[in-house]
Every structure is written in C-alpha cells, then in structure tokens.
Amino acid sequence: MSPLSPAAASTRHDIQGLVLTGYGHMPHACYVLLRVAEARPARDWLAQRAPQILTAAPWSKKDGKPRTALNVAFTWTGLQALGLPQETLSSFPHEFAYGMAERAMILHDFGRSDPKHWEFGNDEQPVDGLLLLYATSRERLDELVAAQRAELGPGLVEVGLEFGRRPASLTEHFGFKDGVSQPRVGPLNARGKPEEDVVQPGAFVLGHTDEYGVLPPTPAVRGQDDPEGVLPPFPGESGYRDLGRNGTYLVYRKLEQDVAGFWRFLADRAGGDDAAVIKLASKFIGRWPSGSSLVLSPDRDDPHSGRPASNDFGYLEHDLGGHRCPIGSHVRRANPRDALSGLPQREALKTTNRHRILRRGIPYGEPLFPPEQLLAGRAPLDVEDDGSPRGLHFIALNASISSQFEMVSEEWATNASFQGLYDSQDPILGNDEHPGSVVIEGAPARRVISPVPSFVTARGGGYFFMPSMTAVRFLSAL
Amino acid sequence: MTPQPLTLIAPLKSQDPDSLETLEGIMAERGRAVFESSPSTHFAALVMLGDRQGRRRLFLSADYDGDLAHYLDELWRAAPNELDAMFSYCEGYTGRDGFLDFVRRRSHKSQTYFVAFRDETANGIKEKARKRAELERRLGDDPQTVAPFVDAVAATEGPPTAAERATGRARAFVDGLRSRAHDRFWQCVIAIARLIATRMGTGASRSASADLGQKLDRETDLRYQRVQVGQAQNQMTNISWVRPGRGPIVRVSLALANYMVKHAFPPGDLAGVKTVHFARWSLIDGGKGLLFEGNFDGTWENYMGDFTDRVAWGLDALWGHTEGYPPAGMKDIWAFKRYIRELMYPPAMVYMAYPELTVLNTVRDREIVATLESGRRGSLREAVSRL
C-alpha cells in the first residue's frame, strides 16, 4: 500500500467515513430518519454530533478498527429548516432541491412504487435528515441507537427507524453476492484495483477534479454569510465560500424484494432442473450467485477459481452480442463497462466511468432461504413467501445525482431501448406500469421472456447532502 | 430522397398574456392532430419561442418527406381546423389559400442539417420495424421453436455451392477494402476539420471554475421531464445569440459542419454519437439568433454527455461564438449544461412518428431486413441471429 500524499491525508480528515469505505467489518446498520422541528436546537444537536462523526481519516494502528460509526446527511428541506440562506439553497442542483419523490418519472417509480405509497420521503412523511449508525454487533448497535435517540432533543423528531444487516455471505436476498464491483476514489484510495476501476475523486467528492477534468457543481455561500471564514473559498469566484468541498450526495432507496416471486417465476420459465433455473436467474442478474462473471465463466458458477468475485473483465472482446452475459441483464445495464453503443473500448470506458456510483447498501429483513443453498447448486424452487418484508437499503454516493445515479437509472437500467434492445426492461427492477421483455441472447436465436413482472418495489427514499466536517461546523453555527 | 427540415417562426398579433395562454393551450391540446395523420412527418414540435426582447412567437418545427407544397397540403387535409385555430393568432396569416406563401416567408433555412438515415422515409423506417417484428412473431419467444423454423427454410435452400461460397468471400474482401479506404479518407477529413474547428472555436483556453447555480423553475423542469416519459425519444429547442462580429465565422462553421454531417459518417452516426435522429441549426433574427432543434434518444443528461465525450471540438466551433458560452468550452460540462438549459424552450407539443424506435433500433432493423431480403442462401439464419 502506497502512503497517502499529505493533501490526500488532510482531505480524508474532512470527509465523512462512508465515502471511502462501506464499513465492511461493521455489518449492522441503523438509519434514523429525522424531521427538523426547531432550527436552533437542531443545530446544537449537529454541533454535538460533530466529534462523534467517523471521518475517512486512516484508522490508527494503536486503536484498531472502530467498532461503531456515525454519519449524518440532510435533504434540501432539512438544510432549509436548519436555516441555510435562500441564495445558498438555490445554488444546489435542481434534482437535489426537488427531492427523490418528485423525480418519480425519471426513476420509474410508478404503480406499487409510486411515492404516494411510500413509508417515508413523500409529502405525507417528509424526511429532513438521516443519521447513519453502524456497529460490529447488534448489541453494540442497539446501545448506539438508544443513546442517539435519547439525544435528539427538541430540535429533531424521529420519523422512521430502519435496520439492516449485511450477511457474512455478502449476498442480497435473491441469493447473489452484492457489491462486487466498486470504483476506487482516485488518489484517496486507489490501491490494488484495475486501472479502469480507479475513478477521479471529483466523481464522488465535491471540490475535486472529476472524470471530465473539471470541478463538479458545488453549493455556494455568500462571504457575508460566513463571516468567520469557516468554509474554504469558492473556486474562481471571490466573495463566495464553498459549502460543498469534501461533501457528497447520498441517494437512499428502501427497495423491497419479492424473493419467492422471483424464484417461482424463474422456476416456471427455466423449465428444467436446478442448474437450468440458477443459470436463467444468473442471466437475469448478470453474474453467478458467487459473484463470478458470466463473461469469464459462461457455463457454470465458478466460486473456487481463485477469483471468486472476479471483476477484471470487459464485454467488448468476448461478449459484445451478449451470448454469455445478456446485454439487458441487471448488472450489465448498471455498468456497461467497455461495450457501449458500438464505441471503441477506450471511448466506451471513458463514458461509463463518468457515470459510476459508490454503493453502500445493506439488506434488511431475514433471508427467505439460506444463501449457501444456491452456491451448493440448489435453487430455492419451493420457497413460499412468509409475509415478512425484506429487501435492500440501497445507498449510493456521487457528486452529481442527475449525471450519475439518475443517469444510470434512467438511461441504462430502466431504458426499454437500452443498447438497441426492443421494448425491454431491467429483469430485476422491472416496470410496474408497462411490463417489458427480457432477452437472453444466444444461438441460433435469442430467447424472449415476456412479460416479466417487477420483483422490486420502492418503499421510500430521499436525496441527501452529506457535508464535510468543515461544512458540519458551518451548519451547526448558522 | 432525404427528409427536409421546416423551421417556421411566426410572430403573433398580440402579446396579451391571456391570448398567449389560450394559444399555447391550443398548441398543446390540438397540435398533435395536425401531424398524427400525416405519413410524411418524422418529427414535429410546436414551441412558444421568445425573441431577444422576450416577445413570444409560434415555432413550428418538422422533419418531413417530399416537397413543401405537398407536405403542407397533407397537413391541411389532416387537420384544417387545428391549423387555422393556431395560425389565426399569427401576423400575416390569411388562411389555407395563402398558407404556402406564408410559410415560405416565415420559414428559415437550416445552415446545418443532420439526418440519421438520409435514404429513409418515415414509412420506410416504420416498415422495416414492422418486418423485423413480424420475423420475431413467426419465430416465437422460445429458441426450441427457432431451430426447426430456421432448419425448415434452410432445407429448401440447400447448402451453398462452391461457387456461391467463393463469390461470398470475394464480395466480403472487396467490401472490406472499399470500407477501409472510405474510413481512411474520412478519418483524414475529420482530422483536418478538427484542426480547423479548434482554430475557429473560442480556443476554450480558460480553465473551468465552479458555477453559482441556477434558478429553480419546477414547472418548466417538470415539462421537460414529461416530454421524455414513456417513449424512447426526446426533443430539444434552444436559441443562442451570436456575439457581435462573429456572424461570418459562425456561417463558415455551420457550412463546414453541414458538409461533414452529410458525408463523413455512416447512417445513424453523428461523429460517434448514435442517438441523434435529426439535428439542425438555423440562423434567425437577421443572423443574430442561432436556433437549434434536435430529436434524440434517451435522456437529456445522456445527450449532453454524448456530445461532450465525442464531439466537443465541433460544438465549441459552432456555439463557442455565442453569448454566455463557457470560457473553457464544452469540456466544462457543468457550465455547458447550464448554458444550454438557460437557452431552452419547453415544447407545447412534440410529435414522433416512431416514438419507440431509437437510432440503434433502426440501424438493427435495416441490417436485419437487408439480410432477409438479400436472397442469399443462409440469410434467414443470419437475420435470426441478429435479433
């Protein structure tokens, strides 16, 4: 591991920890959804949180890894309620100001996913803030949650409490290993990753150069609104200060998964033994249950190949036509890698890397079947729904919600015409309003599965700004 | 026969807010009927456009097959009441009889006009999609049924003879040579154009700086969102204003760009961007305004990104001479997006003749149908494999 440059090291002290790590050793998480009731006590609460926030500063050898973590983020209405001046509020990107529920058309939140049915994040149950708590064990998490809930004070009202747990198998509820492909953030943590996975820090952290070679848009504060000069100067604009530097945008979606429905549908359509069902399911997802690549191992899951989560592959050279990993599979839509619109490899990678996101999601609810079962080659064919909710707390971090999360979601994932396909849909996310088809490319001809119902339903969510430590100090002193 | 652009900009008799609102309502609610029964229309839009002084005017945009007189006739036959209801708000409008003259007086030439498929009519594009869908239907969804279907046809064809195989190989070789020579030639032309464009652009020398945001306009933003919901295609209209003294260089840039987009790229491809159906630039308002009208696939975000990634050099040369263009050029994508967004006008009505087809879909349809209809042995098997 190469040592960090002094600039990178000081930057990491200013960034909230979740930006650079998914806290792999802390599998227990709780998200406290908040409303700001009174500005001043809410700011005091934030000031008291500041020393508790886990930053991205490298962990010391002496103390070892932290056993709990706390991070905070606010929606646009939350920042408004904290008392941020109007001029600054209007300098945020549009999509952040409007919030997730208003972007339903872009995110395909139709039918059962319509924001009017959400548990939170809509007009009936608005959310201003998000307190993210992580711990190494459930007991430790419960202690942390109890302590934090006791300290909300008159400034904040709790509107929801969401728990999650990352299983040791790292699988999501359909049974597939999740979070295999993650970009690395430029010089801040770029060790040991293939070159195409290293993305400029400005793609995820405001105030730094992004994949276009420029600074991403950042919220501005008038000089007179920051008389103490807490915030860094605004790049290229005297008289303003930069509220965004070292902050990021956090996208949170509570996505419920219909696990029994998924496997029942596949068992019905695969029309064969366990291996056939698992293969079709893997073609839907775009990877094998172990996370191994369909491109590198087209015929069977290869969990023991020495590269269990193998991520060093492209589609262009060996699988342009999608005969191994279908063009419209979930994973290939989310990141088309080097195969995009017939572009040369370098051009395609340039474009896809400009829209990467950091994923920090954690599943919720108990598994419906043991994840080891799939790896052992047995499909959960007879699994029945038990009526208890389960799914994924999807969390993505990016410097521009519209250009990264929303672009990936609308242009690739939910796009019926993705890469020249006809009337297709994401095999997992589906489209409640207008169910499309899933094409499994092959010889002598493709197979079409149509219509494919939706196995994922949005239950709530929001767009949050995760401020830097400097910005936390500024916000608490407004 | 290449489709033609219609850029009709009609000043209004009254700027009274109530009358403007009524007119925009007619455009939004009844405008579709004008184009819906017109087989010659590829794309059409009705937009309430502004001028430099903020005065409103009616903009009718269309990409159509055939000649103008026939096209207008077709529109009148389809929806006389709707056309009359809209244009009676316009200065100089005298009804159906004088409409051709009215349009000729009020429409603007396109200095640069890109058409994805220069040899296709709207009906031709739809017909190819229909043939492909028919092949899909006959195959069914399951590969188990595909093999017997293909084999049955192959059995009637018999295996290719030695002579046919030799001819096929020779044809592939010649095609390869020709295509390589063609590519080489155009690569040279594009390199030269890039050089000239960079010279003619603003230099784009200043480094980018963060910007101070833009005003929120929920209503307008929602209107833009609605245009792109439920279909593969999207639309954009904007006017930028040519900086004083830059008129001549803009005209030269537009002429060069027009030559390039007509000749340098294969069908469905605009300098590597494969999501553009039609794009046109027209000088209006005495050469001071540069109107852009485009039809593209997918999201506006992706459209802007595609152009930045593939052809920033070309757009810097065109838009770089207009007011408010980012000093660092298009590569400063955030400033560029804001520049474009502020110049855009939301359409009151957008009509698309084949809204479910992307450029890539039509490229595939053309290949599949051409293969099917080639009459070569094995063509069915090949067409099926491309589905």
Side-chain angles (χ1 to χ4, degrees):
Chain A
M1 176 184 166
S2 57
L4 288 170
S5 69
S10 94
T11 297
R12 286 183 57 154
H13 280 91
D14 200 33
I15 299 177
Q16 293 200 43
L18 193 65
V19 179
L20 293 193
T21 164
Y23 303 136
H25 68 291
M26 291 188 265
H28 298 271
C30 176
Y31 309 114
V32 189
L33 303 159
L34 302 167
R35 279 226 74 183
V36 174
E38 266 185 81
R40 182 176 288 274
R43 293 197 294 262
D44 293 343
W45 171 87
L46 183 60
Q48 289 151 16
R49 278 340 86 187
Q52 303 171 18
I53 293 173
L54 186 61
T55 71
W59 299 327
S60 76
K61 286 224 171 67
K62 187 163 64 77
D63 300 336
K65 291 179 173 178
R67 285 179 294 188
T68 61
L70 179 153
N71 291 121
V72 291
F74 295 96
T75 61
W76 191 81
T77 55
L79 294 170
Q80 189 175 36
L82 284 176
L84 201 59
Q86 193 55 44
E87 183 163 358
T88 300
L89 286 167
S90 63
S91 71
F92 278 96
H94 285 190
E95 70 280 6
F96 173 68
Y98 297 149
M100 184 182 282
E102 269 199 43
R103 308 292 276 181
M105 283 194 267
I106 281 169
L107 301 176
H108 282 218
D109 284 334
F110 307 130
R112 288 174 302 158
S113 292
D114 192 313
K116 70 181 180 217
H117 306 308
W118 285 5
E119 296 161 12
F120 55 86
N122 53 7
D123 289 344
E124 286 71 47
Q125 193 65 283
V127 174
D128 290 335
L130 185 63
L131 181 64
L132 303 105
L133 305 171
Y134 297 85
T136 49
S137 70
R138 180 62 198 239
E139 294 70 35
R140 203 165 265 132
L141 181 72
D142 286 340
E143 279 171 32
L144 178 62
V145 171
Q148 289 298 329
R149 292 175 82 185
E151 289 177 20
L152 291 179
L156 294 156
V157 179
E158 179 185 303
V159 293
L161 202 59
E162 297 289 340
F163 285 90
R165 184 177 67 87
R166 188 188 297 115
S169 55
L170 303 181
T171 47
E172 47 68 56
H173 282 298
F174 293 134
F176 289 75
K177 189 165 177 188
D178 197 16
V180 180
S181 172
Q182 290 274 21
R184 286 271 168 169
V185 188
L188 297 175
N189 66 358
R191 60 186 197 276
K193 276 269 174 175
E195 199 187 328
E196 55 271 20
D197 264 337
V198 179
V199 175
Q200 288 296 314
F204 309 111
V205 187
L206 304 185
H208 298 263
T209 305
D210 64 13
E211 281 285 311
Y212 292 97
V214 297
L215 297 172
T218 182
V221 170
R222 284 182 309 187
Q224 65 260 41
D225 294 328
D226 180 23
E228 312 266 303
V230 174
L231 298 170
F234 197 88
E237 225 28 93
S238 60
Y240 286 87
R241 319 284 300 177
D242 183 358
L243 178 64
R245 187 178 164 81
N246 293 337
T248 189
Y249 291 99
L250 182 151
V251 173
Y252 169 38
R253 279 167 83 71
K254 184 181 179 187
L255 301 173
E256 190 171 292
Q257 291 170 263
D258 176 9
V259 176
F262 177 75
W263 285 106
R264 212 171 36 242
F265 181 82
L266 287 161
D268 179 53
R269 296 309 166 96
D273 56 5
D274 283 51
V277 178
I278 292 176
K279 186 165 186 179
L280 185 61
S282 304
K283 294 261 188 187
F284 268 44
I285 301 279
R287 279 186 187 270
W288 292 103
S290 74
S292 69
S293 159
L294 286 163
V295 177
L296 299 176
S297 178
D299 299 319
R300 67 191 67 81
D301 198 352
D302 193 10
H304 307 299
S305 64
R307 39 178 192 201
S310 183
N311 199 34
D312 189 9
F313 67 90
Y315 298 112
L316 187 66
E317 193 184 349
H318 296 297
D319 197 27
L320 186 59
H323 286 217
R324 296 179 180 185
C325 181
I327 293 169
S329 65
H330 178 67
V331 164
R332 192 158 170 175
R333 281 173 179 268
N335 182 7
R337 295 181 180 237
D338 59 352
L340 191 69
S341 308
L343 291 168
Q345 188 171 45
R346 225 171 43 169
E347 288 290 300
L349 281 172
K350 178 170 92 177
T351 297
T352 50
N353 268 349
R354 286 175 170 178
H355 306 288
R356 300 292 295 273
I357 51 175
L358 288 169
R359 288 175 300 141
R360 299 288 184 243
I362 286 190
Y364 69 88
E366 289 307 308
L368 193 57
F369 63 90
E372 302 76 33
Q373 182 187 329
L374 260 190
L375 285 177
R378 279 181 292 119
L381 299 177
D382 45 6
V383 71
E384 292 280 342
D385 190 33
D386 61 358
S388 53
R390 57 179 55 79
L392 180 72
H393 292 301
F394 172 89
I395 288 184
L397 303 175
N398 48 203
S400 166
I401 296 172
S402 62
S403 169
Q404 290 166 275
F405 169 70
E406 286 188 344
M407 219 307 298
V408 170
S409 174
E410 189 182 21
E411 185 70 32
W412 295 342
T414 62
N415 184 352
S417 320
F418 177 70
Q419 298 301 300
L421 294 171
Y422 305 100
D423 190 30
S424 70
Q425 68 171 38
D426 183 294
I428 307 304
L429 301 178
N431 182 341
D432 233 18
E433 199 107 297
H434 175 66
S437 58
V438 171
V439 177
I440 312 287
E441 287 88 0
R446 84 289 176 267
R447 176 174 182 195
V448 182
I449 299 174
S450 178
V452 177
S454 162
F455 304 112
V456 171
T457 306
R459 289 287 179 216
Y463 288 161
F464 297 85
F465 172 60
M466 183 174 255
S468 68
M469 297 308 295
T470 307
V472 166
R473 277 202 304 283
F474 171 79
L475 291 169
S476 24
L478 274 173
Chain B
M1 185 180 58
T2 309
Q4 297 298 314
L6 174 58
T7 307
L8 170 64
I9 300 177
L12 303 177
K13 288 174 184 162
S14 161
Q15 292 291 320
D16 170 53
D18 285 345
S19 137
L20 291 179
E21 203 185 319
T22 316
L23 172 58
E24 199 163 10
I26 299 172
M27 290 155 67
E29 283 150 33
R30 299 174 62 193
R32 248 191 109 70
V34 176
F35 306 98
E36 248 166 8
S37 322
S38 148
S40 307
T41 307
H42 290 256
F43 284 90
L46 293 166
V47 187
M48 191 66 98
L49 213 58
D51 67 8
R52 207 71 228 256
Q53 286 73 40
R55 280 191 302 263
R56 296 281 146 176
R57 45 201 174 154
L58 192 162
F59 170 39
L60 184 158
S61 162
D63 302 282
Y64 64 93
D65 299 319
D67 70 59
L68 183 63
H70 280 105
Y71 180 56
L72 295 180
D73 224 38
E74 186 178 283
L75 299 186
W76 272 105
R77 279 200 306 274
N81 299 336
E82 283 74 11
L83 279 169
D84 198 59
M86 283 190 294
F87 284 99
S88 58
Y89 283 81
C90 299
E91 272 176 23
Y93 169 77
T94 54
R96 182 172 183 169
D97 288 343
F99 196 65
L100 181 59
D101 274 346
F102 169 78
V103 170
R104 283 197 174 128
R105 273 201 313 279
R106 297 296 186 191
S107 56
H108 296 261
K109 196 170 162 269
S110 292
Q111 277 75 20
T112 304
Y113 187 43
F114 170 79
V115 180
F117 305 99
R118 304 182 60 80
D119 54 347
E120 293 283 4
T121 60
N123 268 337
I125 288 173
K126 286 193 271 189
E127 183 60 13
K128 288 185 176 71
R130 196 193 57 71
K131 285 181 178 164
R132 181 258 312 153
E134 173 64 16
L135 178 64
E136 297 232 43
R137 196 189 59 74
R138 285 175 61 192
L139 282 174
D141 291 345
D142 195 335
Q144 311 281 342
T145 64
V146 172
F149 171 74
V150 174
D151 288 346
V153 178
T156 64
E157 287 177 336
T161 63
E164 278 171 339
R165 279 201 298 271
T167 321
R169 276 199 297 272
R171 190 174 46 225
F173 179 71
V174 173
D175 283 353
L177 276 187
R178 189 185 293 152
S179 136
R180 268 200 297 282
H182 180 268
D183 288 354
R184 283 279 154 74
F185 171 73
W186 282 111
Q187 275 163 10
C188 291
V189 175
I190 292 168
I192 294 166
R194 254 185 112 126
L195 207 68
I196 299 173
T198 313
R199 279 297 183 82
M200 290 173 56
T202 47
S205 53
R206 247 185 68 182
S207 65
S209 62
D211 74 75
L212 289 170
Q214 48 198 320
K215 69 175 195 300
L216 290 176
D217 182 353
R218 236 185 187 91
E219 200 49 49
T220 309
D221 280 354
L222 277 173
R223 281 176 69 174
Y224 287 127
Q225 274 188 46
R226 279 190 204 108
V227 174
Q228 70 186 58
V229 168
Q231 53 222 350
Q233 300 163 358
N234 210 327
Q235 181 270 358
M236 176 168 108
T237 308
N238 70 45
I239 305 178
S240 42
W241 301 98
V242 178
R243 275 157 44 196
R246 301 298 181 97
I249 198 162
V250 168
R251 280 179 193 278
V252 176
S253 297
L254 287 168
L256 277 176
N258 196 40
Y259 184 75
M260 295 290 294
V261 302
K262 267 194 184 137
H263 304 289
F265 312 108
D269 184 325
L270 175 52
V273 179
K274 294 171 189 182
T275 50
V276 182
H277 295 265
F278 293 90
R280 81 179 97 112
W281 279 266
S282 308
L283 284 166
I284 61 169
D285 297 337
K288 292 193 175 67
L290 181 56
L291 173 77
F292 175 81
E293 173 67 29
N295 297 96
F296 54 95
D297 296 323
T299 63
W300 183 82
E301 282 288 338
N302 186 59
Y303 187 48
M304 294 294 106
D306 262 353
F307 273 115
T308 306
D309 291 356
R310 312 270 100 77
V311 70
W313 55 275
L315 295 186
D316 280 346
L318 293 181
W319 272 323
H321 303 283
T322 62
E323 293 172 10
Y325 197 73
M330 195 173 186
K331 70 170 191 238
D332 186 0
I333 181 151
W334 311 108
F336 177 77
K337 282 184 191 169
R338 187 164 62 99
Y339 156 84
I340 291 286
R341 197 68 169 201
E342 284 174 0
L343 302 171
M344 277 164 63
Y345 291 90
M349 189 287 305
V350 179
Y351 170 78
M352 302 151 177
Y354 33 89
E356 74 290 358
L357 296 177
T358 62
V359 170
L360 281 177
N361 285 153
T362 299
V363 168
R364 284 183 75 185
D365 290 346
R366 282 160 54 98
E367 283 170 3
I368 289 166
V369 172
T371 306
L372 265 184
E373 294 177 350
S374 68
R376 290 198 303 270
R377 280 178 205 271
S379 59
L380 178 68
R381 184 171 286 276
E382 195 188 328
V384 164
S385 75
R386 284 167 183 267
L387 279 174

